[in-house]
Amino acid sequence: MKAHDGMYIGGEWRPAAGADTIEVVNPVDEQVIGRVPAGTALDIDDAVRAARAAFPGWAATPPAVRAAKLAALRDVLVARKGEIAETVTAELGSPLPFSQAVHVGLPVLVAGSYAELAAVYAFEEKVGNSTVLHEPVGVVGAITPWNYPLHQIVAKAAPALAAGCTVVLKPAEDTPLTAQLFAEAVAEAALPAGVFNLVTGLGPVAGQALAEHPDVDLVSFTGSTAVGKQIGAAAGAAVKRVALELGGKSANVILPSADLAKAVNVGVANVMSNSGQTCSAWTRMLVHTSQYEGAVELAAAAAGKYGDRIGPVVNAKQHARVRSYIEKGVAEGARLVAGGLEYPRERGYFISPTVFADVTPDMTIAQEEIFGPVLSIIRYEDEEDAVRIANGTVYGLAGAVWAAEESEAVAFARRLDTGQVDINGGRFNPLAPFGGYKQSGVGRELGSHGLSEYLQTKSFQF
């Protein structure tokens, strides 16, 4: 696609307030594939004013009509799925089949789920002698990351629009072309002017201006825990609502009764998916000491099959970051059994699928989010030890438990301090709430729980 040189505000593409631009780089070959405007506080203010002006009319629009508009938006995304997938692949480096199946398929599914939910959600309910109203919170500032560029936009914009809110989006600077395609889809679906607005730009400039804008009622952010803390502090000073989906260091706990080969192979696949750039990835594999060496051997063999099947990480900074963690793992005494620093290609931000054994729970690679294709395998002595290790980080986003009997896995999963747990490889559910405990965030996305984040309550007593 050809990049727009303006912002999508008030239902039209408008010139940016400044002349600065951001280069969009293909991480496969490090070539510039486009440029977008670097938005300023003036662009954000323009977009927020448009969203504020559109809010009363959109909030008053019957839910069935809002649902129909979301269905139309989903249909446009389906019709343009080929172009969107190619754009994601160009910006993110994701292999095209993965872009088609996940980077487009998942947000289409989520958009459709909110079209259906908006039509049936109980925006009013009777509670004793009261009528409780669930009303849109207002103008939403959405700040999205680069790792799932369309999904993260849809996971915020779709429930916000379904609730009757209006949206100003500041997408990640690495993947703004996908965001521009979404804005085009909004226009093609004929959503009212100002209901959705897009400002491209850098986080410390446009993102900060959006988070701190006094006329933004809720900030929804997905990204690092460090930035999430800053946004939470700014929002707290203004008594402004936030929804924060932050980092993770999820544990994949393989109990002794489990099918070891299946659990290890699925676990490795989970970590390597999207080049390891998934906040909910099971980056710590916990294995009983009696099965440990067998699991290490299986994991090393599985990782070796992904050498030319995953794409690069997103940019030079992330490439250097992941490599620094691999170096730390070696320096702290972990045993490298697959991958490492070597990669056969001279260009592109590629990282070899990497597996560390003999990782102890206190090592840096077992405590900090790496955000690359790096797996740490940790041994445990008994169930109490496994629970302690699994819960022994500041994060609590996701995880997995494997056992021969589902009841055994569920009993263990109940003891985990984390927002989602997959039991024996459970399938993804787009209606289940997604979000974390502890420093993995505040609030939930997806399904009815995701919709409720964008609503506030009022009661009438009779």
Side-chain angles (χ1 to χ4, degrees):
M1 66 163 293
K2 183 181 183 297
H4 288 275
D5 58 5
M7 311 299 187
Y8 185 73
I9 298 174
E12 61 182 3
W13 292 96
R14 301 183 186 178
D20 291 343
T21 60
I22 299 169
E23 291 185 342
V24 184
V25 176
N26 186 326
V28 171
D29 58 14
E30 304 177 46
Q31 298 300 302
V32 175
I33 58 173
R35 290 176 174 83
V36 299
T40 67
L42 292 175
D43 296 299
I44 291 293
D45 188 60
D46 193 18
V48 172
R49 282 189 284 108
R52 177 58 62 192
F55 174 66
W58 185 245
T61 299
V65 176
R66 297 200 298 260
K69 288 295 185 182
L70 284 171
L73 176 59
R74 174 206 56 206
D75 293 344
V76 174
L77 295 176
V78 170
R80 302 185 66 175
K81 61 183 180 181
E83 179 185 8
I84 297 171
E86 291 174 357
T87 301
V88 173
T89 291
E91 291 187 301
L92 187 62
S94 169
L96 186 58
F98 189 83
S99 294
Q100 293 167 334
V102 177
H103 285 297
V104 180
L106 177 57
V108 164
L109 187 65
V110 171
S113 75
Y114 280 111
E116 295 174 1
L117 187 58
V120 300
Y121 191 86
F123 289 98
E124 292 190 19
E125 59 179 328
K126 294 291 293 184
V127 180
N129 64 306
S130 302
T131 296
V132 179
L133 311 180
H134 302 281
E135 300 180 329
V137 71
V139 175
V140 172
I143 303 174
T144 56
W146 43 260
N147 60 326
Y148 289 89
L150 182 60
H151 168 64
Q152 297 288 357
I153 292 170
V154 171
K156 298 182 187 305
L161 295 173
C165 297
T166 54
V167 177
V168 177
L169 169 69
K170 204 299 286 184
E173 49 263 37
D174 292 289
T175 53
L177 303 182
T178 300
Q180 289 188 343
L181 282 178
F182 181 79
E184 290 181 4
V186 166
E188 192 172 338
L191 270 72
V195 165
F196 174 85
N197 307 273
L198 167 67
V199 175
T200 55
L202 300 175
V205 181
Q208 182 173 344
L210 181 59
E212 296 179 350
H213 198 287
D215 217 18
V216 169
D217 300 293
L218 182 150
V219 180
S220 181
F221 169 79
T222 297
S224 72
T225 296
V227 176
K229 289 178 179 179
Q230 296 172 8
I231 289 174
V239 196
K240 182 182 301 186
R241 286 176 56 178
V242 295
L244 304 174
E245 201 274 281
L246 308 176
K249 195 67 183 177
S250 301
N252 178 19
V253 182
I254 304 174
L255 298 177
S257 67
D259 181 334
L260 183 65
K262 181 178 180 181
V264 170
N265 283 310
V266 173
V268 171
N270 176 278
V271 173
M272 301 308 160
S273 177
N274 207 39
S275 302
Q277 300 170 127
T278 303
C279 55
S280 57
W282 311 333
T283 51
R284 294 181 298 146
M285 181 179 289
L286 276 57
V287 184
H288 188 266
T289 187
S290 65
Q291 299 174 314
Y292 188 79
E293 289 303 331
V296 168
E297 184 177 340
L298 287 166
K305 299 175 183 178
Y306 286 88
D308 57 356
R309 290 167 54 188
I310 63 174
V313 294
V314 70
N315 56 33
K317 180 180 179 181
Q318 188 65 17
H319 187 252
R321 170 187 167 88
V322 176
R323 287 174 60 87
S324 74
Y325 275 108
I326 294 173
E327 291 172 342
K328 286 179 184 178
V330 172
E332 292 182 7
R335 174 165 47 112
L336 190 64
V337 296
L341 297 176
E342 298 300 321
Y343 198 87
R345 297 183 63 159
E346 294 183 1
R347 295 186 65 83
Y349 306 126
F350 291 90
I351 299 287
S352 293
T354 297
V355 177
F356 279 106
D358 299 339
V359 178
T360 59
D362 60 336
M363 287 183 179
T364 302
I365 58 173
Q367 287 291 319
E368 298 183 11
E369 184 176 43
I370 298 172
F371 229 58
V374 181
L375 170 65
S376 296
I377 309 181
I378 305 171
R379 71 175 74 235
Y380 67 87
E381 299 297 329
D382 54 30
E383 185 171 305
E384 294 302 318
D385 193 33
V387 171
R388 178 186 62 80
I389 295 169
N391 290 338
T393 75
V394 298
Y395 299 110
L397 185 55
V401 182
W402 301 80
E405 297 295 331
E406 183 178 288
S407 59
E408 181 188 4
V410 169
F412 187 95
R414 290 182 184 277
R415 303 180 67 186
L416 296 179
D417 299 331
T418 191
Q420 279 201 339
V421 184
D422 291 345
I423 305 297
N424 289 334
R427 292 182 297 111
F428 174 77
N429 180 1
L431 301 180
F434 180 84
Y437 287 20
K438 299 187 288 187
Q439 292 189 26
S440 284
V442 177
R444 294 294 182 267
E445 293 185 329
L446 304 181
S448 61
H449 293 81
L451 177 58
S452 67
E453 292 290 334
Y454 299 95
L455 296 168
Q456 54 191 349
T457 56
K458 175 191 293 180
S459 64
F460 299 152
Q461 283 61 248
F462 296 92

